[in-house]
Structures are given as structure tokens and as C-alpha cells.
Amino acid sequence: MEFTWLQTFITAAECENFRRTSEILHVSQPSVSIHIKMLESELGMALFLRDGRRVKLTAEGRRYLQHARKLMEVYESGLQDLNAFQQGYDTKLCIGISPLIADTILPSVLKRYVKANPDVEISIKIIDSEDIEEAVLNEDVDLGLSCLGSTHSEITSQMLYQDKIVLVAPHDGLDFEAAPPLDEKEVLLSNYLLTHNHPGYWDDLCKRVKSRYPGVRMMKVSQIHITKRFIAEGLGISFLPLSTVRRELLEGRLLEVDCYSVDIPDAHTYALTKYNHGKQKEFLTYLSGYRF
């Protein structure tokens, strides 16, 4: 049996058209027909019913499709492993990372890590923090870097570091040295407070702000990079992890507001693992050595 036959069969099963299959696989339509006939001959059963220009799977074809996909997965996994070996890799490490961590923490650390560990093949999956626990549990990734910890009995949750949260407002156009500091009460009551751009602290923080300033207006914005853009455009203010706005504060594009009346929590970054294997431990040790 040829794996090209399986690939042709899987593609034809998905699009139900031999002509379209030939276009996707960049082969001639007669070649598609030959591959299917050879596979049917090998298996001793018909896999498709012909209906004019379209084809449909037979009952046997539907049943065999799941096996064909598994065979292709094993074949392609073997090729990937051999290619990695030829490139000098002897270890694979798949990391599930929240969008926030991928945007702020990971790039500089990963650049140093791959340079120091050329034998490790790294793959990155961007996954929302709420879904990283499940990805680790199902072994879709070797470890997860999340804004949320885990209490699952099979998952080890290690806090890597905590990040100060600051109240951030748009630049007011005044000279930094001459202008008076922004007033917390005025800023909170005269702007929309953009919330829920981080999965870890907003529910509790909203209660604290509302308790101190009942008249504050809130608007949920699900992503921090969008929140920063909104603040820069004067659409609101927000409590954000310092690591996410350090550059904007240094460049004067955003302003930090001293906040004395509200008890502000910290943001945390957690490492989630199911197994305590060597490469996971080594990467986390390397990562924990950096502060952001």
C-alpha cells in the first residue's frame, strides 16, 4: 500500500470531488482515479459511490477513513521525527502559552533558550489561559505558561513570578515635569474603566473599585493590546500588569496614576505540568531565572 493512495483517499473523502482533489494535491485527475482504484483493490472493497461529478463514501469508506487518518498521522509523525534528527534535535518540547505571555515574556527568553539549547526542538501553541489546563491534562502540550493556576489533582501548578498592576491613563499632553500628578478619583470617575483584559484579577478588582467609587463606568475589553490602543486613543483607563505597559510608560505614550484608595492585587504567571520530566524542569529553571 502506498501512502500517496491514503492521502488521495482522505482528500477525496473530505471534498467529495475527484477534480477538486486533483487540484488540492497538484496531480492529474486520472491519477486520483488510479490511486483510489489501487487502494480499493488492495482493500478488496469499494470506498466511493460515483454520483455524476461528485463522489460519496460507501459505508466501508466511512469506516476506513478514520483508520486512514491514523495511518497518515503515524507516517507524518515519523517523517517529522527523522527531519528533526537530521537537523540535530534530540528532544522535543511543546509549550502552550497564553497570548499575553507570548506577547510580553516569551520572545526574549525563548531567543536565549534556543541559542543555549540547540538540541531541543521547540514548538509553541498559543492558547487562552482558561484552556491551558485542559491542554496540559490531555497532553496536547508538554507544559503550559498561564495567567491562571490549577487545582487539578493531576496538574502541578508552579507560580513563576508576580507582576505589579498599575492604573494607566492616556497622556494628557502636558509637560511631564511641570504638570501636577493625575488624581486617582478624577481619573476613575471621568473615564471608562476598561476591564477583563486579564483572566486573573478583574472580578475581585472590579468589586474593590466599585466599593470605593460606586459611580465608576466600566467597559469589558478582552485583550490587553486592544486595551492599550483604546487608552492611547483616549477611550478609557485600565489596571494593567506593569510588564505589559513598561515601554509605553517609558516612552511617555501612557501615564501611570498613583492609586492609594484601592487595594490592587498582583498578576501572576504560572507553569502547569502533568509530568516532571527533565526538559520541562530545565526550561522552567531557565525561565524562572528572568525577571520582567
Side-chain angles (χ1 to χ4, degrees):
M1 181 183 298
E2 298 285 344
F3 280 98
T4 52
W5 303 350
L6 290 177
Q7 184 62 65
T8 301
F9 166 62
I10 294 169
T11 305
E14 291 172 348
C15 62
E16 297 185 335
N17 186 293
F18 282 2
R19 182 183 62 79
R20 180 59 182 151
T21 300
S22 69
E23 293 173 352
I24 293 173
L25 298 178
H26 303 289
V27 297
S28 66
Q29 188 168 333
S31 294
V32 171
S33 298
I34 291 173
H35 291 174
I36 298 300
K37 287 180 180 179
M38 295 296 287
L39 182 59
E40 290 177 329
S41 176
E42 179 82 12
L43 298 174
M45 64 187 68
L47 298 174
F48 288 99
L49 295 172
R50 278 67 174 177
D51 183 16
R53 295 183 178 181
R54 303 196 64 83
V55 292
K56 294 183 178 181
L57 288 171
T58 62
E60 293 82 359
R62 286 195 301 272
R63 189 173 184 86
Y64 185 67
L65 179 60
Q66 59 183 322
H67 299 293
R69 284 174 171 156
K70 290 178 182 178
L71 286 170
M72 285 303 301
E73 287 176 5
V74 172
Y75 173 67
E76 291 171 354
S77 177
L79 287 180
Q80 291 172 4
D81 184 69
L82 287 174
N83 289 333
F85 179 76
Q86 287 182 328
Q87 295 176 50
Y89 299 125
D90 60 23
T91 304
K92 292 183 178 181
L93 186 61
C94 182
I95 309 173
I97 304 174
S98 77
L100 174 60
I101 297 172
D103 188 47
T104 56
I105 299 170
L106 187 70
S108 59
V109 175
L110 193 58
K111 180 179 179 180
R112 296 182 179 95
Y113 180 81
V114 296
K115 186 175 181 180
N117 297 269
D119 60 324
V120 180
E121 181 181 11
I122 298 285
S123 59
I124 303 295
K125 292 185 178 181
I126 307 301
I127 307 172
D128 289 338
S129 288
E130 294 87 346
D131 301 321
I132 288 180
E133 178 186 78
E134 183 178 359
V136 174
L137 191 62
N138 294 338
E139 300 179 28
D140 297 327
V141 297
D142 297 310
L143 65 91
L145 298 179
S146 174
C147 298
L148 299 173
S150 173
T151 57
H152 197 284
S153 60
E154 294 186 48
I155 300 294
T156 299
S157 179
Q158 172 189 347
M159 191 179 77
L160 293 176
Y161 71 92
Q162 59 186 28
D163 196 356
K164 178 184 178 183
I165 296 173
V166 294
L167 178 57
V168 180
H171 197 286
D172 55 11
L174 300 178
D175 180 76
F176 178 77
E177 295 182 356
L182 295 173
D183 179 72
E184 168 195 325
K185 180 177 181 180
E186 179 182 353
V187 167
L188 282 167
L189 294 180
S190 61
N191 294 277
Y192 274 102
L193 178 60
L194 310 178
T195 68
H196 290 85
N197 39 51
H198 187 284
Y201 56 79
W202 270 110
D203 288 341
D204 184 51
L205 183 54
C206 284
K207 294 177 183 178
R208 299 183 191 184
V209 173
K210 275 287 188 181
S211 175
R212 183 68 180 84
Y213 300 106
V216 69
R217 298 172 299 169
M218 298 185 179
M219 179 191 300
K220 290 184 179 181
V221 181
S222 62
Q223 295 289 334
I224 280 186
H225 71 280
I226 299 298
T227 300
K228 292 194 294 184
R229 178 68 182 274
F230 281 9
I231 296 173
E233 295 292 336
L235 295 176
I237 60 173
S238 190
F239 290 93
L240 298 176
L242 179 58
S243 64
T244 68
V245 291
R246 182 177 285 114
R247 176 175 294 181
E248 288 85 355
L249 293 174
L250 288 173
E251 294 176 352
R253 288 182 282 146
L254 301 177
L255 296 178
E256 180 180 352
V257 182
D258 291 331
C259 198
Y260 302 105
S261 302
V262 179
D263 185 18
I264 305 175
D266 290 322
H268 301 102
T269 296
Y270 298 90
L272 307 185
T273 53
K274 186 176 181 180
Y275 302 109
N276 197 23
H277 292 167
K279 281 303 175 182
Q280 285 96 319
K281 291 174 60 178
E282 181 181 308
F283 181 81
L284 293 178
T285 299
Y286 194 91
L287 183 61
S288 63
Y290 290 88
R291 296 293 297 173
F292 300 89

